Amino acid sequence: MKTFRSYTEVSACVGQEVAVTDWITITQEQVNLFADATGDHQWIHVDPERAKTGPFGAPIAHGFLTLSLIPRFFDLGLKIEGARMGVNYGLNRVRFTAPVPVGSRLRARLLLQAAERIEPDGIQMTWLVTVEREGSDKPVCVAESLARNYGAAP
């Protein structure tokens, strides 16, 4: 976990990989709950028996489930001391580059692409988030994520 004491320390890391998170495991229960929350009950996600005979040989996580883990990866990978609030500001680009079979372990690489001050007490950061699956050479998701934090020391 990378801890920043100020926005100045954050800005000094532009162009650098700031963190590689710990691994998290994707479970069928997570996939089912995500399907219930979104209404996406496609069999490749929620029917393990049918999915065994499908194109991936097993049920896979929704791409948007993988994407929704980005805030968790930020929590695992970095902290800005004194920030009273952080918000997801959006995404510039997202690609789902490989499937995530249920039972996979994922982690993220967090590379800071840009950091801009927001007056009076905030910062907007552009992160390249590369989500990796254990045992695979190809990432499963690559996203450019914009995050804002407010309230830390300059």
Side-chain angles (χ1 to χ4, degrees), residues 1-4 16-24 72-79 106-112 127-134:
M1 157 114 28
K2 173 69 174 173
T3 300
F4 295 104
Q16 298 176 30
E17 183 175 87
V18 172
V20 178
T21 70
D22 290 336
W23 296 101
I24 61 171
R72 185 167 176 195
F73 289 130
F74 281 138
D75 283 344
L76 291 170
L78 61 100
K79 177 182 177 183
L106 305 179
R107 71 177 178 190
R109 294 183 174 279
L110 306 174
L111 187 144
L112 183 61
W127 294 93
L128 180 62
V129 180
T130 304
V131 182
E132 301 174 328
R133 180 170 58 92
E134 188 175 43

Side-chain angles (χ1 to χ4, degrees), residues 3-62:
T3 300
F4 295 104
R5 292 185 300 274
S6 68
Y7 293 149
T8 302
E9 284 187 6
V10 173
S11 295
C13 289
V14 169
Q16 298 176 30
E17 183 175 87
V18 172
V20 178
T21 70
D22 290 336
W23 296 101
I24 61 171
T25 301
I26 303 302
T27 67
Q28 187 65 55
E29 180 183 14
Q30 284 175 299
V31 171
N32 293 344
L33 289 170
F34 190 84
D36 289 343
T38 62
D40 182 353
H41 292 95
Q42 190 172 160
W43 61 269
I44 62 172
H45 306 303
V46 298
D47 187 340
E49 288 307 310
R50 185 173 177 194
K52 286 179 187 176
T53 64
F56 305 108
I60 61 169
H62 304 73

